[in-house]
Structure formats: structure tokens, C-alpha cells
Amino acid sequence: MYRRLSLAALLACTLATASAATLPSNLMLPDPGLAVHGIVERWTLTIRLESDDLKALAPCRQLLAERGFAPVLSKMASSNRPQLHFKIEGSKEYAQATTEADDALAAVQQAGCKTVVNWAVVAKPVQK
């Protein structure tokens, strides 16, 4: 009976985790194969915001700056999208997995800026 309860609890936890959104900290996990060879990883979280309205980006740009992401503004247009639109991109490097990255992304998403938000985590191996 105890094993069945444990397996059922494990299954419920697994299903709940699978349905949860991926967070930056979920991707900042060390690669065991690299760690065995003494290689550590640093992670860079990049947050990109796009909008046709520059004023809509202002609060989120400020928020990224306050959190150390050094946001850069780009103006764009193309043959596929001739209307002028704006992109702000900021990156921050982390030495280890941290919920600070999750908090920064959540703050941008909850700031109410009328933008498209994209983000990515990239690992960079560093020799000890």
C-alpha cells in the first residue's frame, strides 16, 4: 500500500510539473557530462520585447535596466513588415541557476507593457 501511494504521489507530481510553464531557472541546470570533466557553465538570459509603439516599450525597458539587463533599442522595418517597429533586447549572465532570472521574466510579463515577449537561456561552458 505504501509503495502504491508513493508511486501515485510521484505520478501526480510529474504530471503537475509537466503542465507547468518552463522557467529560465529550469534550463540553468549543469550538464553532468561537462561537470565530470571540470567544465562549469554560465547562463545568459536574454529577454526581447517587440512592439509597434515605442511608448509601450518604455516601462519594460526601464524594468530591464533596473534589473541589470542593459537593454538596447533597435528600430526595424522589412519588406515583409514595412511598418516601423521597435525591439528592445537585454541580456544578463548568471554563474548558477537562480530564481532571480525567473523573477525578472515574471516582472516583465506582469508589467503590462503592450509588447511581444521572447526569451532564451544560452549555456556557455567555462574551464575551471
Side-chain angles (χ1 to χ4, degrees), residues 14 25 37 40-41 45 50 52-53 55-57 68-69 86 92 112:
T14 303
S25 63
H37 297 290
V40 296
E41 294 172 287
L45 171 61
E50 289 190 47
D52 292 335
D53 180 6
K55 288 182 183 179
L57 291 171
F69 279 79
F86 306 92
K92 186 171 181 182

Side-chain angles (χ1 to χ4, degrees), residues 60-79:
C60 285
R61 182 181 191 182
Q62 179 66 31
L63 198 134
L64 286 175
E66 289 170 357
R67 292 183 177 259
F69 279 79
V72 176
L73 173 66
S74 302
K75 300 175 188 176
M76 301 175 293
S78 67
S79 57

Side-chain angles (χ1 to χ4, degrees), residues 53-114:
D53 180 6
L54 182 58
K55 288 182 183 179
L57 291 171
C60 285
R61 182 181 191 182
Q62 179 66 31
L63 198 134
L64 286 175
E66 289 170 357
R67 292 183 177 259
F69 279 79
V72 176
L73 173 66
S74 302
K75 300 175 188 176
M76 301 175 293
S78 67
S79 57
N80 293 343
R81 191 171 172 191
Q83 179 182 355
L84 183 63
H85 59 283
F86 306 92
K87 178 171 80 171
I88 291 179
E89 183 173 312
S91 297
K92 186 171 181 182
E93 190 172 285
Y94 297 92
Q96 60 189 19
T98 175
T99 57
E100 180 186 320
D102 302 339
D103 296 343
L105 180 61
V108 167
Q109 291 173 329
Q110 294 171 3
C113 302
K114 295 179 181 177

